[in-house]
Amino acid sequence: MRQGLALGGLAFGAGAVLGPVRELLLAPRLGGVPAAWLEAAAMAVLLWLAAGLALRPPLTNAERAVVAGVALAVVLLAEAALSLLFQAAALDRTPRGLAEHLPGLLLLAWLLALPFLRRR
């Protein structure tokens, strides 16, 4: 459980840093979709590193599933809280479409897979 909280917290923290970079620096210059893919590439590497920090083997597959589920729950709940706090309307940008959400959805799948892939 603690490892899932740590992984989820690290994942959310990385996204909290890279999200504004994407929205404020990259999206206005490159467009939303290329900015989302650049952020996703950086996030994929950061999530791999975060999993190395958060996971403490040996873990059974059941324990890895708990870590993955807790990490996903932390990220989704933190994202929901942040959305409520800041409301997307605060940005002077059109809402993101499916093409911009796709990299984020793939990153959530990557987050779920990492406890099973990262063995140290």
Side-chain angles (χ1 to χ4, degrees), residues 1-16 40-55 59 61 63-79 102-119:
M1 182 79 134
R2 253 184 264 154
Q3 294 175 58
L5 291 171
L7 179 56
L10 289 169
F12 179 74
M43 279 294 297
V45 172
L46 291 176
L47 289 176
W48 178 264
L49 297 173
L53 291 172
L55 299 175
L59 293 172
N61 281 339
E63 291 168 330
R64 290 177 189 280
V66 169
V67 170
V70 170
L72 180 64
V74 166
V75 168
L76 292 177
L77 289 171
E79 284 285 334
L102 182 60
L105 294 172
L106 293 174
L107 282 172
L108 291 176
W110 178 239
L111 178 65
L112 281 172
L114 277 172
F116 297 95
L117 298 174
R118 187 73 196 236
R119 305 273 178 181

